[in-house]
Amino acid sequence: MHERHRFWQRALRLLSLGVPREASSALFGHDHSLQQETWLRSLQKEKQHIIDWHDRLTDIPFVIIDMETTGFSPEQGDEILAMAAAKTVGGVVTDAYMTLVKPEKPIPEHISALTGIEAKDVVFAPPLAEALRTFVPFIAAGVLIGYHIGHDLAFLRHALWRHYRQKWSGRFLDLQPMMTLIGHSCPTFDDALACYGIRCPRRHTADGDVEAMTKLWAILLKELHGRGIDTLHDLYAALSRC
């Protein structure tokens, strides 16, 4: 518990969220839906333009994300309960984000047992539309990565479209194919953690899983470099051949 507290305390101390001043009305207003939509669209485009295909992986901001949800299908009514992310450069965490999300429906008992998130924990949590106003600018600053990131992206895309009629256009990478690329068969996140002996005492919590993924990503960066994969273009090209 103390290790987890120190990890997030150090990360959160390094940088603020850096939300643009011109976005403040979109962030905090309740009657500015058009401004919110315009801002979210311009934010994604602006942030993605700063990343070049030939940038070195160690120089690119990668944002590790994880979500806890009530199921696997947002289209069938499953909801986000927690969102966490960590900005990294060269495998080092430079900033971190974590929020619980207040769902619209009761949390299933088996999900509470798995994640530890109960109804009492989300009473004062922001609803999803509000949480997105801080989560989106945080993650828009880099290339998203996660283990089986398709799950997280499905919920992110559904939420952005439902609440703001916006599509997520940012770049992303999945850590699982990277494990295959460097010669490890790790179908699950637990397999990958076991492969490198990474401990995750708070498994199935958004911030706990993100913390473990930051350790895995730092190792993978070194592994990729050892195989001559040094730029974003190198990585995409290598993954396309897997």
Side-chain angles (χ1 to χ4, degrees), residues 40 44 65 67 69 74 80 83 128 131-132 135-137 139-140 144 149-164 166-172:
L40 284 169
Q44 290 188 52
I65 67 168
M67 297 180 185
T69 62
I80 298 171
M83 301 187 292
L128 181 57
L132 287 171
F135 185 66
V136 170
I139 66 173
L144 298 190
I149 196 172
H151 171 83
D152 306 285
L153 289 176
F155 277 86
L156 175 62
R157 287 166 174 158
H158 184 271
L160 280 175
W161 185 254
R162 178 188 176 195
H163 293 289
Y164 296 107
Q166 295 303 309
K167 295 181 179 180
W168 178 257
S169 60
R171 295 189 182 120
F172 63 91

